[in-house]
Amino acid sequence: MISTTQCKTYASECQHLGTVFDISIERATALLAMSRSWNVLANQMQRYDAIRKEEGPYAASYGRQAALSVDLEGL
């Protein structure tokens, strides 16, 4: 999986390419939008990591198992 650092690197590269070189407005707009998208992804990954650390590695699987056992008991 891609890392937060890689996302930030790609964002920086897109930002640089979109503002430094003599390119069309369309290409610059696309590169700057890509830069924003990479930054959003990096932020979401950081948020997910924080939630995962807070909840612990098995929190999600315990929730699913409990839901499955409740559904099965109703049969």
Side-chain angles (χ1 to χ4, degrees):
M1 181 181 347
I2 193 167
S3 71
T4 303
T5 302
Q6 288 171 310
C7 290
K8 290 179 180 183
T9 298
Y10 292 149
S12 179
E13 289 175 6
C14 289
Q15 177 76 26
H16 176 72
L17 291 172
T19 56
V20 173
F21 297 105
D22 185 23
I23 58 175
S24 68
I25 291 174
E26 292 85 3
R27 186 178 289 188
T29 301
L31 285 164
L32 295 176
M34 288 168 55
S35 175
R36 283 190 300 276
S37 295
W38 282 116
N39 277 318
V40 166
L41 180 57
N43 291 337
Q44 289 172 336
M45 290 174 70
Q46 286 175 328
R47 182 172 174 245
Y48 174 77
D49 286 342
I51 292 168
R52 189 174 47 117
K53 287 176 185 173
E54 180 180 303
E55 291 180 353
Y58 302 108
S61 63
Y62 287 142
R64 274 190 235 121
Q65 287 176 355
L68 287 174
S69 66
V70 168
D71 290 341
L72 294 175
E73 289 172 5
L75 293 177

